Amino acid sequence: MPTDFLAAYPVVIPANVAWGEMDAFQHVNNIVYFRYFESARMAYFERINFADPNQHGGVGPILAHTQCRYRKALTYPDTLAIGCRVTEMQADRFAMELCLVSEKLQRIAAEGTAELVAFDYRNGRKAPLPAAVRSSIARLEGWEGHQ
């Protein structure tokens, strides 16, 4: 797997392309790329202890926006590496970049972005990003003194 594509991503997960993810055009259906990205985001949330809203008084992440730039069509069989990183933090949200690399193709197959908002699930409204989460992101990303 060409790891140099993902060197800047602190969270990288593996995934296998399943036969059933291909569509009538004999490549992985476009919506499946979003599932791959979702899995990488969840792995990131687990690393920063933000996967369970109950750990932060009911505040957890909610997806506000996502997009994908398809670069190469994926096919079965293949092994993937999906990288995830935070590129920006604000008072109530953060932006992520995602990168999906194909072992078979030895190149980037897709790139994506996501905007996550801190959401108070108990009261149904956005909330400030918890300080502990901000610190965890800064630590994981290697941002010195960034809060």
Side-chain angles (χ1 to χ4, degrees):
M1 180 67 65
T3 57
D4 54 325
F5 291 120
L6 299 171
Y9 293 82
V11 173
V12 178
I13 64 164
N16 292 314
V17 173
W19 172 259
E21 294 172 335
M22 295 203 312
D23 60 21
F25 299 107
Q26 299 303 304
H27 58 73
V28 171
N29 186 277
N30 62 311
I31 196 67
V32 176
Y33 290 71
F34 287 99
R35 288 189 197 135
Y36 296 144
F37 288 163
E38 177 182 55
S39 294
R41 283 195 315 270
M42 288 307 300
Y44 195 104
F45 296 159
E46 289 169 5
R47 287 278 301 275
I48 63 169
N49 196 29
F50 201 38
D52 181 2
N54 292 320
Q55 295 178 325
H56 300 284
V59 176
I62 193 165
L63 185 63
H65 176 80
T66 188
Q67 65 181 17
C68 179
R69 180 167 185 224
Y70 304 96
R71 293 186 165 272
K72 296 288 179 188
L74 296 171
T75 57
Y76 173 86
D78 200 352
T79 300
L80 312 172
I82 305 115
C84 186
R85 66 183 173 191
V86 169
T87 56
E88 179 185 354
M89 263 194 302
Q90 296 178 22
D92 63 351
R93 67 193 65 221
F94 55 94
M96 295 183 124
E97 287 182 356
L98 300 114
C99 184
L100 189 152
V101 178
S102 161
E103 183 176 284
K104 185 194 306 187
L105 301 173
Q106 292 290 298
R107 51 192 327 113
I108 295 171
E111 295 171 300
T113 61
E115 181 179 14
L116 289 302
V117 174
F119 191 77
D120 182 340
Y121 285 92
R122 293 178 186 164
N123 296 304
R125 61 178 182 245
K126 73 178 181 174
L129 194 57
V133 173
R134 296 176 67 77
S135 294
S136 293
I137 291 170
R139 202 168 27 259
L140 184 57
E141 295 294 341
W143 300 340
E144 296 298 322
H146 187 284
Q147 293 292 318

